């Protein structure tokens, strides 16, 4: 594995893994809040049980983080997983009017924490593109 790939995978993988582990034992009210936010991007998530949603969320984050941190997982698979994960996160950003300014792209103060997921999407895409070369 090239150093550039190790850096891309290590930083993003550790960040997502830590985020997932931090959600493992949240109270039901916290899962309900996360679910409400996620439903702004993917409305079908409203139909899920909040506890089931919370468990699926933290397991998905730990899974994506683990894929990125595991050296024998291909760049392509790790990149596709990260791209899909960040695309899901960005749906909340772009589908919530409070997150973007009037142009629908630049973040508001509330949108800045979610807008950072564009960096994760770029890292995922870079890993996919590098896997073809």
């Amino acid at each position: 594995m090239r150093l550039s790939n190790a850096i891309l995978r290590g930083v993003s993988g550790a960040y997502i893994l830590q985020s997932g582990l931090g959600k493992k034992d949240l109270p039901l009210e916290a899962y309900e809040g996360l679910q409400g936010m996620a439903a702004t991007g993917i409305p079908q998530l409203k139909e899920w049980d909040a506890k089931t949603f919370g468990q699926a969320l933290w397991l998905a984050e730990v899974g994506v983080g683990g894929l990125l941190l595991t050296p024998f997982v291909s760049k392509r698979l790790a990149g596709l997983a990260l791209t899909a994960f960040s695309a899901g996160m960005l749906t909340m950003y772009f589908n919530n009017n409070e997150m973007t300014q009037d142009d629908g792209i630049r973040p508001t103060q509330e949108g800045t924490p979610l807008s950072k997921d564009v960096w994760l999407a770029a890292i995922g895409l870079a890993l996919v593109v590098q896997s073809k070369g």
Side-chain angles (χ1 to χ4, degrees):
M1 178 184 297
R2 293 186 346 212
L3 180 59
S4 60
N5 286 307
I7 293 168
L8 291 173
R9 291 175 70 156
V11 171
S12 59
Y15 181 88
I16 294 170
L17 179 66
Q18 175 60 34
S19 177
L21 291 174
K23 292 178 178 80
K24 182 177 182 280
D25 295 314
L26 292 177
L28 184 61
E29 296 80 26
Y31 287 150
E32 289 169 345
L34 290 168
Q35 181 183 23
M37 185 64 173
T40 64
I42 304 170
Q44 295 82 355
L45 292 175
K46 289 182 208 173
E47 300 169 15
W48 287 35
D49 171 73
K51 177 118 175 117
T52 301
F53 169 80
Q55 296 298 304
L57 177 62
W58 81 261
L59 286 169
E61 288 188 17
V62 167
V64 171
L67 279 174
L68 288 160
L69 292 170
T70 305
F72 59 81
V73 172
S74 72
K75 289 183 276 191
R76 181 176 177 80
L77 179 59
L80 288 171
L82 180 57
T83 301
F85 173 78
S86 58
M89 298 296 289
L90 288 170
T91 63
M92 291 185 292
Y93 174 75
F94 286 113
N95 290 332
N96 190 330
N97 291 334
E98 290 81 40
M99 298 287 167
T100 60
Q101 295 184 28
D102 292 339
D103 62 10
I105 297 172
R106 293 177 297 139
T108 61
Q109 194 68 26
E110 296 82 14
T112 298
L114 268 179
S115 68
K116 57 107 177 91
D117 289 311
V118 73
W119 297 101
L120 294 175
I123 291 168
L125 291 171
L127 290 170
V128 171
V129 168
Q130 286 181 359
S131 72
K132 296 180 188 273

